[in-house]
Amino acid sequence: MDLDQYFEEIVAKVNATMDSFLHGDTRELYEASRYLISAGGKRLRPLVVVLSSDLLGGERHRAILAGAAVEVLHNFTLIHDDIMDQDTTRRGIPTVHVKWGIPTAILAGDLLHAKAFQILTESIKGLSGDVAYKVLDCFSRSVIVVSEGQAMDMEFEKRWDIREKDYLEMIRRKTAQLFACSAYLGGVLAGGSEEEVNNLYEFGEKMGIAFQIVDDILGITADEKELGKPLYSDIREAKKTLLVIKSLERANSEERKIIMEGLGSNDMSKLKATASLITGLSLDYAYELARKYHEEALAHLSRVTPRNENAVKGLRSIADIVIKRRK
């Protein structure tokens, strides 16, 4: 089976599983909760869950359920993030709060949060208490860690003293944690050893850090159609991304003034000037750091003995997609 076919089969099953859980009598609420999920998405996190389980010879149906739970949780965070960031588009369509209003969007997010745990509970049915504990502990801890990361990201918008290590800690929590948990869940559900599941966790975390660095790069270099969200939104929101931090470190006084005036602005000429400067000052550095984390991710993956060659090829392919993606 080639990788495309392998991935498509997994994604189809994950999509069907999510859909089966996201229907109810309160039609508008469920419609709002399914809205972003139905709009597509790369499904990288559930793929990581299922491939990590396949890697160690796990039961596919449990991994599909866990993958669906992770993707539902991810979409919960997207709905609430869009409200907090006041973003108007996501995946090329109006955000949930724009289409249905903030109260319904908050409720749709809350529903997805609960549904994620409901689906995950199905994945551990009949397993030992120890395995069930590890699965639920990682998943619930991830909600806490992601929330902490989002709070850090919002706090950083008001500060000018953010260093690279602060940024890396923030994205480790906000973005990388769910990738780490995805790989870990697949390994635990498959009955992996402590060493195996820890290496899978590290693989997911390092890949997640690379993912967010590339995401920040695309926020400045990709066009609106590629992004599926407003151009320069990170600059408008004064996000202290790696590119901004490194640019401010390297800029002369005139360049620094332009960047600081552009951050938080809605003036398109200022946004363009800021984006151009940031690209010139920090793009190569950011790509190099993303590649470093990509290599670290693959090093951890190589420490796990595969029971399924397609799965290890698939996980390497996802790590490559993360570093090379254009949207």
Side-chain angles (χ1 to χ4, degrees), residues 156-157 159-160 220 232-241 243-245 247-248 255-267 270-275 278:
F156 288 1
E157 290 170 24
R159 291 170 49 191
W160 292 99
I220 286 179
Y232 306 142
S233 59
D234 284 353
I235 300 175
R236 289 176 206 268
E237 292 157 24
K239 298 279 189 190
K240 302 309 186 299
T241 65
L243 292 98
V244 168
I245 293 163
S247 295
L248 288 171
E255 290 167 335
R256 188 179 173 87
K257 182 171 178 286
I258 292 167
I259 293 168
M260 290 177 76
E261 283 179 359
L263 290 168
S265 172
N266 278 312
D267 183 314
K270 285 185 179 180
L271 291 171
K272 281 183 179 174
T274 302
I278 289 172

Side-chain angles (χ1 to χ4, degrees), residues 2 100 133 140 160 215 220 269 287:
D2 67 27
W100 278 280
Y133 170 80
S140 56
W160 292 99
D215 209 55
I220 286 179
S269 63
Y287 267 126

Side-chain angles (χ1 to χ4, degrees), residues 85-110:
D85 292 342
Q86 298 176 46
D87 281 339
T88 56
T89 57
R90 161 87 60 182
R91 295 174 181 163
I93 58 174
T95 47
V96 176
H97 68 275
V98 168
K99 190 169 173 66
W100 278 280
I102 289 175
T104 297
I106 291 171
L107 202 54
D110 292 346

Side-chain angles (χ1 to χ4, degrees), residues 185-211:
L185 289 179
V188 169
L189 286 168
S193 68
E194 189 173 349
E195 184 182 356
E196 286 171 330
V197 297
N198 286 342
N199 271 306
L200 283 170
Y201 184 95
E202 292 293 333
F203 162 75
E205 182 179 89
K206 301 303 182 285
M207 182 172 67
I209 292 172
F211 178 96

Side-chain angles (χ1 to χ4, degrees), residues 6 36 46 61 66 77 84 88 175 217 243 269 273 288 302 307 315:
Y6 185 30
L36 276 185
H61 78 279
T77 68
M84 287 180 264
T88 56
T175 304
I217 291 168
L243 292 98
S269 63
E288 195 52 47
S302 71
R307 282 46 146 197
L315 287 167

Side-chain angles (χ1 to χ4, degrees), residues 13-252:
K13 287 180 179 174
V14 168
N15 286 343
T17 301
M18 289 191 291
D19 189 64
S20 71
F21 280 87
L22 296 176
H23 287 275
D25 295 339
T26 44
R27 188 185 59 78
E28 187 176 84
L29 173 62
Y30 279 90
E31 193 180 333
S33 72
R34 290 192 306 271
Y35 176 68
L36 276 185
I37 291 171
S38 302
K42 293 171 282 293
R43 305 292 192 253
L44 294 180
R45 294 158 190 82
L47 279 168
V48 169
V49 176
V50 178
L51 292 174
S52 296
S53 174
D54 283 0
L55 183 74
L56 300 182
E59 295 176 69
R60 175 64 75 84
H61 78 279
R62 293 190 187 278
I64 293 289
L65 282 161
V70 167
E71 186 66 12
V72 167
L73 186 73
H74 173 56
N75 278 270
F76 143 69
T77 68
L78 297 182
I79 291 174
H80 283 198
D81 281 3
D82 286 341
I83 295 168
M84 287 180 264
D85 292 342
Q86 298 176 46
D87 281 339
T88 56
T89 57
R90 161 87 60 182
R91 295 174 181 163
I93 58 174
T95 47
V96 176
H97 68 275
V98 168
K99 190 169 173 66
W100 278 280
I102 289 175
T104 297
I106 291 171
L107 202 54
D110 292 346
L111 179 70
L112 290 178
H113 180 270
K115 284 287 181 180
F117 279 90
Q118 183 186 27
I119 300 167
L120 188 74
T121 303
E122 286 297 312
S123 78
I124 56 176
K125 198 172 182 178
L127 292 177
S128 72
D130 183 53
V131 170
Y133 170 80
K134 286 177 179 175
V135 167
L136 285 167
D137 177 61
C138 182
F139 199 73
S140 56
R141 193 159 30 85
S142 292
V143 180
I144 296 165
V145 173
V146 170
S147 299
E148 291 169 348
Q150 174 68 1
M152 290 172 73
D153 193 19
M154 290 163 64
E155 182 205 343
F156 288 1
E157 290 170 24
K158 306 169 206 163
R159 291 170 49 191
W160 292 99
D161 61 340
I162 309 303
R163 295 162 296 176
E164 184 177 310
K165 70 174 188 177
D166 303 319
Y167 163 85
L168 290 171
E169 177 59 21
M170 182 269 288
I171 66 169
R172 184 190 68 76
R173 298 188 194 198
K174 181 180 175 178
T175 304
Q177 175 62 31
L178 206 49
F179 278 103
C181 185
S182 296
Y184 179 88
L185 289 179
V188 169
L189 286 168
S193 68
E194 189 173 349
E195 184 182 356
E196 286 171 330
V197 297
N198 286 342
N199 271 306
L200 283 170
Y201 184 95
E202 292 293 333
F203 162 75
E205 182 179 89
K206 301 303 182 285
M207 182 172 67
I209 292 172
F211 178 96
Q212 186 59 56
I213 294 171
V214 172
D215 209 55
D216 292 344
I217 291 168
L218 293 174
I220 286 179
T221 60
D223 64 34
E224 200 158 327
K225 190 176 176 185
E226 284 179 314
L227 280 176
K229 60 183 180 180
L231 193 61
Y232 306 142
S233 59
D234 284 353
I235 300 175
R236 289 176 206 268
E237 292 157 24
K239 298 279 189 190
K240 302 309 186 299
T241 65
L242 175 69
L243 292 98
V244 168
I245 293 163
K246 187 51 63 174
S247 295
L248 288 171
E249 273 180 23
R250 292 177 166 180
N252 59 36

Side-chain angles (χ1 to χ4, degrees), residues 255-320:
E255 290 167 335
R256 188 179 173 87
K257 182 171 178 286
I258 292 167
I259 293 168
M260 290 177 76
E261 283 179 359
L263 290 168
S265 172
N266 278 312
D267 183 314
M268 186 51 77
S269 63
K270 285 185 179 180
L271 291 171
K272 281 183 179 174
T274 302
S276 176
L277 264 180
I278 289 172
T279 300
L281 288 165
S282 64
L283 192 65
D284 289 347
Y285 181 86
Y287 267 126
E288 195 52 47
L289 191 61
R291 280 191 286 269
K292 172 181 166 281
Y293 279 102
H294 169 260
E295 285 167 12
E296 286 182 20
L298 292 179
H300 281 287
L301 182 61
S302 71
R303 292 173 195 145
V304 180
T305 304
R307 282 46 146 197
N308 179 319
E309 284 302 322
N310 257 348
V312 75
K313 285 177 191 170
L315 287 167
R316 285 190 191 122
S317 172
I318 290 170
D320 290 344

